[in-house]
Amino acid sequence: MEIFKSARIKLTAWYLVVIMVISLFFSVLAYNGFLSEFRRGLRIQAFRYVPRAGQNVDDTNSNPSPLFGMFNIPSDDNPTIETQIFNEARSRVLIALGIINGTILVISGLGGYFLAGRTLTPIEEMVDEQKRFVADASHELRTPLTALKTEIEVALLDKNLKLDDAKGLLKSNLEEANKMQGLSNYLLSLSRYQNDGTQFSFDKIDLSKIAEKVIEKLKALTTTKKINIIKELKKVELKANESSMDELVSILIDNAIKYSDKGGKIIIKTKKEGKDAIIEVQDFGIGIKSGDIPYIFNRFYRADISRTKTKVDGFGLGLSIAKSIAELHNGGITVSSKPGEGSKFTVVLPIKKV
Ligand code: ADP
């Protein structure tokens, strides 16, 4: 993306400015330090200089300084051999510092560009993900909206619309409206759970009681589908957010019902294993292909089998919400499944860490 390219270049430029300011500052210090050391060296040498026998001290001393009288001290208005040595050394130091700074500039430019890329990549991925999410959500909303609009337009064009037809239309409109409401509820849940989690209160709850409550809530569905629910609920107490635990268990049991055949069986377990609280929901329904398993917790992912073979309603958001809820409680969710044999979803929540 263009914006990330320019951000990467700007970030590299900032890295460079900071590094070069530091490098130049130390170069100036080193330059001055070297020059004064060099001057000092020359002076010490001048001090130690012993004139040869017969040599007139005054011959070697063109500098009137009483302290360094026996040696020429480099200075701009005294261009002697020492001054030349001094100037040569100075230009060598300047060249060396120039090379060092140039090398630092190139290395930190390349390194900075690489690091800027590493800094920005996760942000870029997040923005991409967000864009995909908005596109998917709009796509899912468009389908029921288009159906709603078309039905209303067709009905309005029908001059002989009867009351019964109008009622049928309203019923169908209500179904579409319910779908959209369902989707917006899912979207709201997702965005809430993917925030930092500070808005949730954590209280002591008993998982078996939550499961009982959810089973009761979904009784109408299980009765219609003649599903046999087998409960193996052991008391497990942990600190958790009650409504989100309710939602997590609801999603798993709702899926188990949705993807089971009529008259199927679902086993629901709650138990404690070591320091973990476990929720297990096992069905003997259509199962999931191994190729789909890595993706079913992704937002809007629906395995093909559920689309083509059974016409099951859904948006592919339930499991991603379930995963977010498990993660909100520092836990995780896994699945084992075989097509035609059924699926087992297991949620593991650490009891202590919450
Ligand atoms: P939805 O059920 O609304 O499609 P989910 O996120 O809950 O969305 O599930 C994602 C996909 O995972 C489903 O479309 C389905 O293909 C598969 N899946 C989830 N639960 C089960 C299950 N119990 N049995 C078989 N497939 C399942």
Side-chain angles (χ1 to χ4, degrees):
M1 250 188 291
E2 216 37 58
I3 187 166
F4 280 101
K5 259 189 202 154
S6 76
R8 188 175 187 179
I9 291 168
K10 274 186 204 155
L11 205 55
T12 309
W14 278 113
Y15 283 149
L16 270 184
V17 167
V18 173
I19 291 170
M20 288 323 291
V21 164
I22 295 171
S23 170
L24 288 173
F25 174 74
F26 281 108
S27 297
V28 170
L29 283 188
Y31 177 74
N32 286 334
F34 174 81
L35 285 194
S36 67
E37 276 306 301
F38 195 73
R39 259 186 237 270
R40 208 166 71 93
L42 285 179
R43 280 172 187 167
I44 288 169
Q45 255 199 345
F47 206 60
R48 282 186 183 155
Y49 180 81
V50 180
R52 281 189 304 272
Q55 189 179 7
N56 188 348
V57 167
D58 286 343
D59 291 349
T60 57
N61 184 17
S62 54
N63 192 319
S65 160
L67 185 59
F68 307 112
M70 292 180 217
F71 203 81
N72 290 318
I73 294 169
S75 77
D76 288 343
D77 44 47
N78 187 17
T80 61
I81 182 83
E82 291 76 25
T83 315
Q84 272 174 30
I85 293 172
F86 179 79
N87 284 341
E88 224 171 78
R90 185 163 60 181
S91 52
R92 275 205 206 122
V93 171
L94 275 175
I95 291 169
L97 286 176
I99 292 172
I100 290 171
N101 275 288
T103 314
I104 290 176
L105 184 77
V106 173
I107 291 175
S108 54
L110 293 175
Y113 191 71
F114 171 74
L115 287 178
R118 300 244 342 216
T119 312
L120 292 173
T121 304
I123 304 171
E124 193 172 357
E125 279 169 5
M126 213 173 74
V127 172
D128 280 348
E129 166 91 13
Q130 213 60 34
K131 272 187 172 173
R132 251 197 321 272
F133 177 64
V134 172
D136 287 341
S138 333
H139 178 79
E140 291 293 341
L141 268 175
R142 212 168 46 189
T143 316
L145 254 183
T146 311
L148 195 74
K149 213 178 131 206
T150 317
E151 282 172 357
I152 296 172
E153 278 169 356
V154 170
L156 284 178
L157 285 176
D158 183 357
K159 286 190 183 120
N160 306 316
L161 185 74
K162 296 197 180 76
L163 186 64
D164 274 357
D165 297 337
K167 276 192 175 166
L169 170 83
L170 285 177
K171 216 175 135 198
S172 158
N173 285 172
L174 190 65
E175 266 172 31
E176 302 301 341
N178 281 339
K179 264 188 208 166
M180 285 190 286
Q181 194 185 33
L183 176 61
S184 66
N185 286 343
Y186 267 140
L187 293 176
L188 264 176
S189 275
L190 248 191
S191 73
R192 270 176 56 224
Y193 293 127
Q194 283 175 353
N195 284 337
D196 58 2
T198 46
Q199 50 178 314
F200 295 98
S201 61
F202 291 82
D203 307 302
K204 199 172 176 190
I205 59 152
D206 177 0
L207 271 185
S208 64
K209 283 201 179 130
I210 302 255
E212 283 281 9
K213 217 168 88 185
V214 174
I215 293 166
E216 196 53 39
K217 187 173 75 182
L218 298 175
K219 200 150 199 161
L221 279 181
T222 40
T223 320
T224 326
K225 251 187 140 176
K226 297 192 169 62
I227 304 273
N228 177 20
I229 298 267
I230 296 168
K231 297 186 272 186
E232 292 179 23
L233 307 175
K234 292 209 178 101
K235 183 173 174 171
V236 190
E237 284 188 326
L238 77 156
K239 266 195 155 186
N241 178 260
E242 187 167 353
S243 67
S244 64
M245 272 302 132
D246 185 305
E247 197 168 354
L248 167 63
V249 178
S250 302
I251 289 169
L252 296 183
I253 300 182
D254 186 49
N255 275 351
I257 301 170
K258 272 197 318 193
Y259 299 105
S260 284
D261 295 325
K262 249 190 171 179
K265 179 171 81 173
I266 297 174
I267 304 173
I268 302 161
K269 289 184 191 169
T270 57
K271 57 186 174 184
K272 193 177 163 196
E273 258 178 31
K275 288 177 180 170
D276 296 324
I278 314 277
I279 311 161
E280 252 177 45
V281 178
Q282 183 176 12
D283 66 65
F284 301 86
I286 62 170
I288 308 163
K289 278 191 289 183
S290 60
D292 284 320
I293 288 180
Y295 307 105
I296 56 168
F297 295 99
N298 292 355
R299 294 184 298 203
F300 293 109
Y301 188 84
R302 305 200 73 205
D304 262 351
I305 196 165
S306 61
R307 276 199 197 138
T308 49
K309 295 208 173 159
T310 66
K311 295 254 184 284
V312 182
D313 273 348
F315 298 104
L317 288 173
L319 287 181
S320 57
I321 294 173
K323 188 174 165 227
S324 302
I325 296 172
E327 284 169 0
L328 180 75
H329 292 80
N330 299 318
I333 177 167
T334 51
V335 61
S336 64
S337 183
K338 263 195 184 160
E341 288 182 20
S343 317
K344 184 159 92 177
F345 285 85
T346 309
V347 181
V348 180
L349 306 168
I351 294 176
K352 261 194 155 179
K353 280 195 102 182
V354 197

